[in-house]
């Protein structure tokens, strides 16, 4: 749709500045992204819905069965177990993670802090460690017989805990891995937001006699509210797809999330059904169920985090 | 508009002064409470000291276990200083999995993804920032919107597509989907918007430069710091990626290091943590080196990215 270039008019000048006549060039520049996203993102996502209506065996037959996969899913105790585990692990890892990150950011956000860059780098180290490395290190630390954590508990007079075997203890251990890896990262995100709070706000609060903790709740938190909401959403979308930590923690029983599925998450259940049992249709139904859970929890969290941040 | 707060300096390429940002950046970070006497309390350093300990101890422990034989770690109390067994443990890693090949695979994939993301994201970012075309704003919103879609859930058809392309066990299965990301496009758009004045482009156009020429000779050099940070992030993300490589690779010689580590960990005869940890050390040290050298830029990049979102 080339428009004739009318010299000496304002529009023409604007058009010239913006790259001459209307051409396809800009579309070519943005095409790679949309091509990659279309082929490996949007299309597969839609196609997942299609496959979920089949009894789909990649090396056998594909039979259309309507909503039978979903009917089977709702009746499958393994699905409810994985859903519950996913939510518990998500809450255990995300709530303390974001709370600690907020406090940590406020502590890091002091004008005269020494070793500022060093501390910022230190809190970010866990985040550049691969999830596999984190998983293996923590699996060792949480070991029943020789793990450092049990040694410390014993030294303090407690009894050794069989972390992997117990339901809550194993979920706690998996959550610890997630929290360790992401707390510092979120602290830096909050710190960036806190640095753009006008200093005058703090100064006037100080003149009014508000202490540090009071200022944290009445100024800092409301001011970084949009960032809190942002991190809550990102952590919800990411945290509900936890996969590698429980897989590694389970060792050889990793795919089932422990001997009795005590810490199998939905992403792990999806992987087990799809790539261990080759039930592509059933795995796709799990994917849609997980998608639905993510959407619902994101909406709930949006509402909650807006409320909490504004009340404070 | 983003304010530069300890922004990554142009110290990645040759230190060439970039175009000054439109708004002068404040010289000192603002918003923090300053005591009247100007000192930061000891409590702050205590909190940060404990945090630093918890952040670094697991990695320290990785080195301890990787360099001791299992009996030393399994004593009560366990050894808490690095030993001398690292090479023996590492040798067993190379016996169990083709680890040189796995390291090479990870390097190839991560470097190509980093280069691809910088170039293709910058190209798209340039179009969104500096070219005018119908549907531009809508398409940009679409790009940002795709960031919230959990694409991991589409893994079954994604695998089928890779299978159709004949890329199972082929590094292309990892490289091509990672070549350009929504985050990269958005990041580059902001960078070009902030550091490339229209006047510079106009001047080039008057000299008869075409779009691609403007992009290559003017836009790219002016966003070198932002491009380096994006490349760094892309490299580290690709290096640490696990879920997708696990799905599309199934022969040990095609594995990336992360998948090889999982294999090492789930093999029945390697229950020796010393060997597993030696594998992790080998896989983690390259990134730790990058972090020691460029950590300041990485921290700056994360904080800048937060302001842009």
């Amino acid at each position: 749709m080339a428009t004739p270039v009318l010299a000496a008019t304002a529009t023409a000048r604007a058009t010239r500045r913006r790259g001459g006549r209307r051409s396809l060039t800009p579309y070519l520049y943005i095409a790679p992204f949309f091509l990659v996203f279309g082929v490996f993102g949007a299309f597969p996502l839609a196609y997942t819905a299609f496959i979920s209506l089949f009894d789909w065996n990649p090396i056998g037959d594909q039979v259309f069965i309507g909503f039978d996969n979903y009917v089977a899913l709702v009746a499958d105790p393994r699905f409810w177990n994985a859903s519950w585990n996913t939510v518990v692990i998500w809450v255990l890892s995300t709530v303390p993670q974001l709370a600690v990150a907020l406090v940590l950011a406020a502590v890091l956000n002091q004008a005269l802090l020494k070793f500022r860059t060093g501390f910022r780098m230190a809190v970010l180290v866990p985040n550049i460690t691969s999830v596999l490395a984190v998983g293996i290190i923590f699996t060792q630390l949480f070991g029943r017989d020789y793990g450092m954590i049990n040694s410390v508990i014993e030294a303090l007079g407690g009894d050794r805990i069989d972390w992997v075997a117990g339901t809550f203890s194993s979920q706690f251990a998996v959550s610890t891995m997630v929290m360790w890896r992401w707390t510092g990262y979120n602290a830096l995100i909050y710190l960036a937001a806190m640095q753009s709070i006008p200093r005058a706000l703090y100064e006037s609060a100080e003149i009014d006699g508000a202490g540090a903790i009071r200022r944290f709740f009445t100024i800092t938190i409301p001011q970084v509210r949009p960032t809190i909401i942002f991190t809550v959403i990102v952590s919800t979308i990411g945290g509900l797809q936890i996969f590698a930590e429980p897989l590694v923690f389970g060792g050889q029983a990793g795919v089932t999330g422990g001997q009795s599925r005590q810490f199998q998450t939905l992403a792990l259940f999806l992987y087990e059904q799809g790539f261990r049992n080759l039930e592509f249709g059933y795995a796709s139904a799990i994917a849609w169920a997980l998608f639905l859970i993510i959407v619902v929890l994101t909406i709930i969290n949006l509402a909650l985090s807006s409320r909490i941040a504004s009340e404070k | 508009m983003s304010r530069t707060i300890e922004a990554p300096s142009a110290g990645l390429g040759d230190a060439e002064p970039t175009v000054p940002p439109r708004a002068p950046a404040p010289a000192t970070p603002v918003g923090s409470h300053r005591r009247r006497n100007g000192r930061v309390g000891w409590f702050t350093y205590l909190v940060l000291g404990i945090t630093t300990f918890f952040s670094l101890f697991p990695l320290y422990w990785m080195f301890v276990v990787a360099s001791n034989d299992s009996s030393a770690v399994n004593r009560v109390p366990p050894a808490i200083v690095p030993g001398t067994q690292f090479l023996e443990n590492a040798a067993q890693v190379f016996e169990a999995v083709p680890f040189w090949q796995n390291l090479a695979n990870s390097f190839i994939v991560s470097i190509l993804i980093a280069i691809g993301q910088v170039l293709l994201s910058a190209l798209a970012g340039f179009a969104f920032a500096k070219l005018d075309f119908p549907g531009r704003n809508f398409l940009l919103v679409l790009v940002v919107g795709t960031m919230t879609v959990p694409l991991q859930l589409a893994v079954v058809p994604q695998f089928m597509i890779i299978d159709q392309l004949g890329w199972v066990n082929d590094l292309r299965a990892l490289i091509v989907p990672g070549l350009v990301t929504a985050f990269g496009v958005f990041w580059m758009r902001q960078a070009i918007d902030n550091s490339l004045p229209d006047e510079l482009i106009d001047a080039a156009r008057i000299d008869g430069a075409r779009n691609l020429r403007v992009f290559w000779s003017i836009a790219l050099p002016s966003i070198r710091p932002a491009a380096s940070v994006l490349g760094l992030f892309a490299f580290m993300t690709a290096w640490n990626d696990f879920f997708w490589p696990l799905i599309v690779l199934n022969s040990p010689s095609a594995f990336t290091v992360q998948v090889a580590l999982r294999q090492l960990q789930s093999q029945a005869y390697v229950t020796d943590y010393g060997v597993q940890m030696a594998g992790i050390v080998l896989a983690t040290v390259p990134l730790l080196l990058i972090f020691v050298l460029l950590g300041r830029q990485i921290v700056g990049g994360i904080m800048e990215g937060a302001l842009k979102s």
Side-chain angles (χ1 to χ4, degrees):
Chain A
M1 43 167 294
T3 49
V5 180
L6 301 165
T9 66
T11 40
R13 233 183 31 238
T15 320
R16 195 169 58 237
R17 201 183 64 221
R18 286 297 192 180
R21 56 196 168 70
R22 286 279 155 79
S23 68
L24 285 175
T25 312
Y27 297 105
L28 286 177
Y29 290 4
I30 62 173
F33 169 77
F34 285 101
L35 198 68
V36 166
F37 179 76
V39 172
F40 296 104
F43 169 72
L45 207 58
Y47 203 61
T48 305
F50 177 75
I51 298 173
S52 73
L53 304 177
F54 286 77
D55 182 359
W56 189 297
N57 186 317
I59 44 179
D61 295 331
Q62 288 94 43
V63 185
F64 180 81
I65 52 169
F67 287 98
D68 284 6
N69 279 325
Y70 293 94
V71 173
L73 197 63
V74 174
D76 188 343
R78 296 172 307 176
F79 166 70
W80 294 110
N81 169 64
S83 302
W84 175 246
N85 293 349
T86 302
V87 172
V88 170
I89 289 171
W90 176 80
V91 171
L92 281 180
S93 61
T94 306
V95 175
Q97 175 198 128
L98 295 183
V100 170
L102 259 176
V103 174
L104 197 55
V107 170
L108 283 167
N109 186 31
Q110 295 181 69
L112 298 175
L113 186 70
K114 291 189 178 66
F115 320 117
R116 185 181 299 145
T117 308
F119 283 131
R120 287 180 191 178
M121 281 173 66
V123 299
L124 194 63
V125 162
N127 194 250
I128 62 141
T129 313
S130 84
V131 68
L132 255 286
V134 175
I136 293 172
I137 294 166
F138 277 74
T139 301
Q140 204 278 341
L141 288 171
F142 279 106
R144 186 189 60 190
D145 299 325
Y146 307 114
M148 171 71 74
I149 290 167
N150 272 353
S151 303
V152 171
I153 290 174
E154 211 168 34
L156 296 174
D159 287 333
R160 292 185 165 270
I161 296 170
D162 193 345
W163 294 97
V164 181
T167 302
F168 179 78
S169 63
S170 61
Q171 292 171 3
F172 175 85
V174 168
S175 304
T176 309
M177 301 179 195
V178 180
M179 183 171 165
W180 183 74
R181 201 153 157 258
W182 289 103
T183 302
Y185 174 87
N186 283 310
L188 290 183
I189 302 252
Y190 290 148
L191 176 61
M194 285 177 193
Q195 293 195 325
S196 50
I197 301 174
R199 182 180 296 207
L201 280 178
Y202 287 99
E203 284 168 352
S204 58
E206 208 176 340
I207 290 164
D208 292 346
I213 290 170
R214 178 88 192 266
R215 285 195 303 267
F216 175 72
F217 282 112
T218 55
I219 298 171
T220 309
I221 289 194
Q223 286 285 320
V224 297
R225 193 179 132 195
T227 310
I228 294 176
I229 293 169
F230 170 79
T231 52
V232 165
I233 290 169
V234 171
S235 309
T236 306
I237 295 169
L240 291 170
Q241 298 180 70
I242 291 295
F243 169 81
E245 291 89 344
L247 178 75
V248 173
F249 193 55
Q252 285 169 60
V255 177
T256 52
Q259 299 288 0
S260 50
R261 300 180 181 272
Q262 65 270 35
F263 50 94
Q264 186 179 49
T265 57
L266 277 168
L268 209 43
F269 187 44
L270 191 168
Y271 175 77
E272 180 198 19
Q273 294 305 312
F275 297 94
R276 193 52 68 93
N277 304 346
L278 297 182
E279 296 278 1
F280 276 16
Y282 200 45
S284 298
I286 297 168
W288 272 102
L290 177 51
F291 186 70
L292 191 70
I293 291 173
I294 289 174
V295 170
V296 169
L297 280 177
T298 303
I299 291 168
I300 291 174
N301 288 328
L302 245 174
L304 278 180
S305 57
S306 321
R307 275 255 308 275
I308 290 171
S310 60
E311 274 173 14
K312 277 179 177 164
Chain B
M1 107 135 233
S2 80
R3 276 218 300 267
T4 31
I5 298 150
E6 295 214 342
S9 61
L12 287 160
D14 44 329
E16 179 186 299
T18 49
V19 183
R22 281 177 205 158
T28 50
V30 292
S32 66
H33 161 57
R34 237 169 91 161
R35 300 181 173 226
R36 289 262 174 269
N37 56 12
R39 280 188 315 110
V40 176
W42 60 269
F43 187 71
T44 293
Y45 291 109
L46 181 70
V47 169
L48 289 176
I50 292 168
T51 308
T52 303
F53 172 80
F54 276 111
S55 289
L56 300 183
F57 179 77
L59 287 178
Y60 170 77
W61 189 240
M62 165 180 87
F63 287 109
V64 171
V65 178
S67 59
N68 278 297
D69 67 34
S70 49
S71 65
V73 177
N74 293 348
R75 275 200 324 252
V76 180
I80 51 168
V81 288
T84 54
Q85 297 285 310
F86 178 74
L87 291 178
E88 286 84 344
N89 286 334
Q92 283 194 55
V93 173
F94 288 98
E95 257 169 53
V97 289
F99 211 66
W100 287 122
Q101 177 76 55
N102 303 142
L103 280 164
N105 291 344
S106 278
F107 266 111
I108 291 166
V109 168
S110 306
I111 284 174
L112 288 177
I113 282 182
I115 294 170
Q117 269 202 40
V118 168
L119 288 179
L120 293 176
S121 304
L123 204 54
F126 175 69
F128 279 124
K130 296 294 174 188
L131 303 179
D132 206 5
F133 53 96
R136 182 177 74 166
N137 294 345
F138 167 75
L139 289 170
L140 182 62
V141 169
L142 199 64
V143 169
V144 175
T146 62
M147 284 195 231
T148 59
V149 182
L151 293 177
Q152 187 178 296
L153 299 182
V155 64
V156 169
Q158 283 166 351
F159 173 78
M160 286 158 69
I161 290 167
I162 294 295
D163 198 24
Q164 286 293 314
L165 291 166
W167 289 356
V168 172
N169 269 331
D170 188 320
L171 295 185
R172 277 176 295 185
L174 309 183
I175 297 162
V176 176
L179 278 180
V180 56
T181 58
F183 170 78
V185 172
F186 182 69
W187 171 264
M188 281 303 187
R189 186 206 163 270
Q190 303 299 87
I192 292 171
D193 208 30
N194 283 329
S195 65
L196 183 62
D198 286 340
E199 294 74 28
L200 208 58
I201 300 181
D202 291 351
R205 286 202 202 291
I206 289 165
D207 292 344
R210 305 294 298 270
N211 274 331
L212 204 58
R213 185 66 211 268
V214 172
F215 169 74
W216 191 256
S217 316
I218 296 168
L220 269 186
S222 76
I223 50 163
R224 200 174 293 155
S228 310
V229 171
L230 178 66
L232 213 53
F233 279 139
F235 183 95
M236 295 194 302
T237 307
W239 183 272
N240 285 340
D241 194 17
F242 171 67
F243 183 69
W244 181 237
L246 178 74
I247 300 283
V248 293
L249 307 175
N250 52 34
S251 73
S253 63
F255 285 170
T256 58
V257 282
Q258 307 299 335
V259 185
L261 289 176
R262 166 62 186 163
Q263 197 200 6
L264 202 61
Q265 193 237 355
S266 59
Q267 272 171 355
Y269 61 90
V270 188
T271 47
D272 185 333
Y273 277 116
V275 177
Q276 289 180 30
M277 294 275 192
I280 304 180
V281 167
L282 293 168
T284 309
V285 159
L287 282 200
L288 285 177
L289 282 177
I290 292 177
F291 193 70
V292 168
L293 292 172
L294 302 171
R296 183 187 279 268
Q297 278 77 9
I298 295 167
V299 167
I302 287 176
M303 290 177 63
E304 274 223 63
L307 287 180
K308 287 170 181 173
S309 305

